[in-house]
Amino acid sequence: MKPEASNPNSSAASRFDAIIIGAGFSGLYQLHCLRDRLGLSVKLVEAGDDLGGTWYWNRYPGARCDSESHSYCYFFSKALYEEWEWSERYPGAPEILRYLDHVAIKFDLRRDIQFGTRVRSAHYDVADNHWIVEAESGQRFRATYLITAVGCISSANVPEIPGLDSFKGKWYHTGQWPHEGVDFAGKRVGQIGTGSTGIQAAPVIAQSAKHLTVFQRTANYSVPARNAPLSAEFKQYIREHHDEIQEVVESTPNGHPFRISETRVFDLHPAERQKAYEAAWEKGGLQFRAAFQDLLTDKAANDTAAAFLKSKIREIVNDPETAKSLADIDHPYAAKRPPIDTNYFETFNRSNVTLVNLRKDPIERITPNGIKTRDNEYELDVIVFATGFDALTGTLLKIDIRGRDGLCLRDVWKAGPRTYLGLQVPGFPNLFTVTGPGSPSVLCNMPVSIEQHVEWITECIAYMRDNGIERCEAAPEATEKWVEHVNEAANATLLPRVRHSWYLGANIPGKPRVFMPYAGGMTRYRAICNDVAAKGYEGFVLTRSGQGADAKAGTALNDFEAAADISTPGV
Ligand code: N01
C-alpha cells in the first residue's frame, strides 16, 4: 500500500501498513524487513534527533558495549557483516553509532524515519482494525501493525533524593548524556551508582576530574574487559567466518560468541578450579561467567566464583578500608547483570578518587553545594547519576497504549508485565513488542535476541497477509502459561534471589516485583517461537477477514513445562 502524504501539522492521520517506534538496532532492522522483504508501507518514528536508540542517549564517558564487537552486530546480511570492520574487542558508543549509520545508508532506511517524534499514545481502533499513534506534537499516524522497538533500558531513573533542585552545580544522568559532552577538568565530581554504567564511567571521569567521589550503595563484582585493538589476523578471521560465528551466537543460551564450559565447579579439585578461574580472569569480560556450567544455578558453586572475585578486589585496591567496602558484596556473582571494566578497582588507588560506602553512611539529601550523607558533607561541582533505568516496562508504559475496548496497558500490567513470548499482550491485536518483557532480551546479547524477534514478527505478518488474517492477538490462556513458564525458568536460577535487582523492578519505588526477562536461554526460546509458528501460530487468536476468531490457544503448550535449560544469562 502507498502511504498517504504526511503533514506534520495536520491532525488527520497518515496511513501506513506498519508503524515502528524506535530507531535503535530493533527498529532499523524491523523497518528493513517489513519494507524491503514484505513490501509494506512503513513509518518509523523516533524521539531522538538521530538513530542509535540506547547508543544515541548513552554517551557518558567510557560508554562501551560489554558484548564483543564481532557479535554485537547484525548477522542477517553476510555482505554487511564482511564489509564492516570493528576496531576493538568491545565497541565504544561512537563506533556503534557509526555502524548503525552505515546500516541505515546501506539499506536506505532514513527516508522512512521521522526523528524528533516522541509517541504520546497508541490506541487501537477496532472498527478499522488500525492503530492510531499520536506524537507529542499532535501528529497522528494510522497503521494495521504497531511494532514497539523502544529498547529495554531506555527510561532513565533519576532517584528522588531531596534537594536536587537546590543544587548549584550541574547534574547529568548517564542515559541522557549531553551530546556536546561534559568537561570535568578542575571539577569536583560525585558519581552515584556502581552498576555496569558507573563501573565504566568512573575510571574515565577520574582521568580528568579534579576529584571524583563514588557513592556506592551496593558493592559489585567486576571482571577486567581486557579491551584492546583487534589484530589484523582476528579482523580477517571475522570477515571469513560469518557463518561459524553466527552458528555459535545462535546456539548458546546468551547469544555470545563463545561456548559455556560443560564443567561443573565441583568437578574440579580446588587447585584446578583456581587455575580455571585465573585463566578466565585473564581472558576477561563476560567469558568469565562461562568458566563453569553451574555458576548461575548452584549457590555453592557460585560462592567459589564470588570468593575468587572478592580476593581480586582485595589484591588490586591498596587501601584496606576501601577494598573492604568494594568487596562487601551481598549477592551471588552474575545474579545481577555482571559488569566488566577497564581499571575500575585500580581507579580507587588514585589520589583524586574517594569511595563513600552508603551502606554505612547513607545519603540524606542534596544541598546547594553537594551531597550530604548522615555523617559527612561532600562539596561537588557536578553530580553524575549512574542510577540505571526503569527497565523493560518503563518506556512502554510512558506511552498511553490502549487496545480493544479501551483496555489500558498500564492497567493490564499493574501487577507486572504479562505477555505471550514477550511478543504480544492479550487485548492488543497486531501490537508486537520487540524484546518485550517475558522474552530473553537483556539476558542475551541484545542484537541476537533482536534479530530473532524482528524475523519472527516479520514472518508472522507475512503469514497473516498470505492467509487473509486481519488480526493476531495473544490468547489469554497461552499468556498465563507463558508467564508461569517465565517464572519457572527464573526460579531455576539464582537470579530472582537478589532483592535489589532491576531484573525484578526493585530499583524503581512502587514497581511490582516481578522477574521480567525470560531466563530459559535464547536457544530454547528460539525453538519455542519456531514451534509456535510452525503450528500455525499456536497460542495466538487469528481472525480472518469477515470471519470469527481462529483460536489456537492453549494446545500443546505443555512443552514449556520442561525444565529450563539455564546455563548462564547474558547481556
Ligand atoms: O544501572 P544499574 P546501570 N542512591 O541499575 C545505584 C546495561 N548496560 O546503568 O544496586 C544510591 O545496574 C544502584 O544501587 P543499588 C546493563 O544491562 C549495558 O549501571 O540499587 N545509589 C546501582 O549501583 C546494565 O545492567 C552496557 O543499591 C543508587 C546503580 O545506581 C544496565 O544497562 C553498559 C540509587 C544503578 O545500576 C543498567 O546498568 C552499561 C540511590 N537512590 C550498562 N539509585 C553495555 O555493555 C540507584 N542507585 C551495552
Side-chain angles (χ1 to χ4, degrees):
M1 170 181 154
K2 241 179 153 349
E4 285 173 19
S6 149
N7 172 2
N9 300 318
S10 159
S11 62
S14 312
R15 277 180 178 262
F16 299 90
D17 293 322
I19 300 288
I20 300 166
I21 309 174
F25 268 90
S26 312
L28 294 178
Y29 184 37
Q30 190 69 75
L31 170 58
H32 173 56
C33 285
L34 295 182
R35 188 192 68 184
D36 302 334
R37 292 191 194 155
L38 301 192
L40 305 193
S41 65
V42 186
K43 177 63 83 182
L44 190 160
V45 290
E46 160 61 53
D49 289 331
D50 206 345
L51 47 77
T54 289
W55 300 103
Y56 174 85
W57 303 102
N58 282 270
R59 298 179 188 229
Y60 59 86
R64 184 175 290 287
C65 185
D66 291 347
S67 295
E68 300 190 34
S69 51
H70 62 297
S71 67
Y72 196 78
C73 52
Y74 297 113
F75 282 87
F76 70 85
S77 162
K78 202 167 177 175
L80 168 66
Y81 192 84
E82 289 174 351
E83 76 200 10
W84 182 261
E85 187 174 289
W86 294 105
S87 65
E88 292 176 275
R89 180 174 176 187
Y90 304 94
E95 190 169 16
I96 298 170
L97 288 172
R98 285 199 297 278
Y99 170 74
L100 290 175
D101 186 48
H102 172 77
V103 171
I105 292 167
K106 184 176 175 74
F107 297 103
D108 192 16
L109 299 177
R110 284 183 185 272
R111 69 182 154 95
D112 290 308
I113 305 177
Q114 183 172 314
F115 293 109
T117 306
R118 187 175 287 281
V119 171
R120 172 168 57 200
S121 65
H123 293 181
Y124 178 66
D125 174 345
V126 72
D128 262 4
N129 187 32
H130 263 99
W131 280 91
I132 303 166
V133 173
E134 186 169 301
E136 282 182 351
S137 63
Q139 189 183 2
R140 300 173 106 201
F141 309 85
R142 268 179 182 266
T144 311
Y145 311 104
L146 174 62
I147 295 109
T148 60
V150 296
C152 298
I153 38 177
S154 44
S155 223
N157 167 42
V158 179
E160 286 189 17
I161 303 175
L164 180 57
D165 286 350
S166 72
F167 182 55
K168 286 193 300 199
K170 300 254 190 225
W171 65 268
Y172 308 93
H173 187 283
T174 50
Q176 294 171 336
W177 202 256
H179 285 199
E180 63 279 13
V182 176
D183 183 5
F184 293 109
K187 302 273 178 16
R188 297 160 303 175
V189 182
Q191 177 188 303
I192 304 178
T194 52
S196 298
T197 301
I199 281 177
Q200 286 186 337
V204 183
I205 296 174
Q207 282 168 23
S208 60
K210 181 174 173 197
H211 196 91
L212 171 67
T213 307
V214 177
F215 295 87
Q216 171 194 281
R217 187 164 68 182
T218 302
N220 220 335
Y221 303 95
S222 188
V223 170
R226 312 250 179 247
N227 188 35
L230 292 179
S231 66
E233 294 73 33
F234 196 69
K235 286 179 183 172
Q236 188 178 347
Y237 166 81
I238 296 171
R239 266 194 305 278
E240 292 173 356
H241 292 82
H242 165 276
D243 295 356
E244 291 88 330
I245 297 166
Q246 183 175 21
E247 205 277 313
V248 176
V249 299
E250 291 188 359
S251 60
T252 51
N254 52 26
H256 286 290
F258 46 82
R259 301 267 178 214
I260 295 161
S261 167
E262 287 177 7
T263 308
R264 291 176 172 270
V265 163
F266 298 111
D267 290 345
L268 299 187
H269 293 298
E272 290 173 320
R273 195 184 309 140
Q274 182 71 10
K275 247 168 101 180
Y277 280 136
E278 289 288 358
W281 175 263
E282 284 312 312
K283 252 191 226 165
L286 295 174
Q287 295 205 31
F288 185 87
R289 197 179 40 182
F292 292 101
Q293 190 216 94
D294 51 348
L295 289 179
L296 265 295
T297 51
D298 178 345
K299 174 69 168 61
N302 190 293
D303 286 345
T304 67
F308 176 85
L309 292 171
K310 289 176 186 180
S311 76
K312 286 292 180 192
I313 299 172
R314 289 188 288 266
E315 262 173 43
I316 295 169
V317 179
N318 297 338
D319 174 56
E321 262 315 296
T322 305
K324 197 169 162 211
S325 291
L326 288 166
D328 187 15
I329 308 173
D330 62 358
H331 54 275
Y333 164 66
K336 289 175 89 173
R337 198 316 203 131
I340 67 173
D341 71 274
T342 300
N343 295 330
Y344 177 63
F345 295 116
E346 290 81 350
T347 293
F348 293 94
N349 293 335
R350 295 177 65 110
S351 57
N352 69 334
V353 177
T354 310
L355 180 76
V356 176
N357 184 343
L358 298 179
R359 289 276 166 90
K360 288 191 176 152
D361 186 14
I363 293 177
E364 276 188 347
R365 63 179 184 276
I366 295 175
T367 68
N369 298 322
I371 293 182
K372 168 83 181 76
T373 58
R374 190 189 55 210
D375 303 332
N376 291 288
E377 182 152 9
Y378 298 88
E379 294 210 342
L380 302 168
D381 305 304
V382 178
I383 300 175
V384 173
F385 289 93
T387 44
F389 300 88
D390 184 351
L392 289 143
T393 56
T395 309
L396 281 173
L397 294 180
K398 276 187 182 158
I399 304 172
D400 174 25
I401 300 180
R402 287 172 196 252
R404 200 185 273 290
D405 306 321
L407 192 65
C408 179
L409 189 64
R410 289 175 189 148
D411 293 335
V412 175
W413 284 4
K414 218 177 198 116
R418 303 178 84 74
T419 68
Y420 181 39
L421 302 171
L423 281 160
Q424 273 215 341
V425 184
F428 298 80
N430 297 351
L431 167 66
F432 296 92
T433 50
V434 182
T435 63
S439 76
S441 65
V442 293
L443 299 183
C444 180
N445 178 22
M446 284 304 296
V448 174
S449 53
I450 286 168
E451 274 198 344
Q452 184 268 342
H453 256 200
V454 167
E455 285 165 7
W456 193 95
I457 292 166
T458 305
E459 280 159 27
C460 178
I461 292 175
Y463 178 88
M464 290 171 70
R465 293 172 76 85
D466 291 349
N467 292 281
I469 293 163
E470 283 189 335
R471 292 187 186 91
C472 170
E473 180 179 343
E477 303 84 339
T479 303
E480 288 316 301
K481 279 213 151 208
W482 183 250
V483 169
E484 256 175 52
H485 179 61
V486 169
N487 287 329
E488 187 184 46
N491 290 333
T493 73
L494 303 176
L495 304 190
R497 295 198 195 180
V498 185
R499 278 182 303 110
H500 41 70
S501 159
W502 62 259
Y503 293 156
L504 277 158
N507 60 330
I508 304 295
K511 189 165 174 168
R513 301 286 170 98
V514 171
F515 193 86
M516 293 180 284
Y518 175 61
M522 190 62 208
T523 28
R524 178 182 180 79
Y525 175 80
R526 185 188 299 275
I528 292 170
C529 289
N530 288 346
D531 193 45
V532 163
K535 290 177 178 156
Y537 295 89
E538 198 159 60
F540 290 91
V541 180
L542 305 178
T543 315
R544 292 202 163 76
S545 320
Q547 288 181 3
D550 175 8
K552 305 231 177 184
T555 50
L557 293 177
N558 289 336
D559 290 353
F560 301 156
E561 286 161 12
D565 72 341
I566 314 302
S567 297
T568 173
V571 181

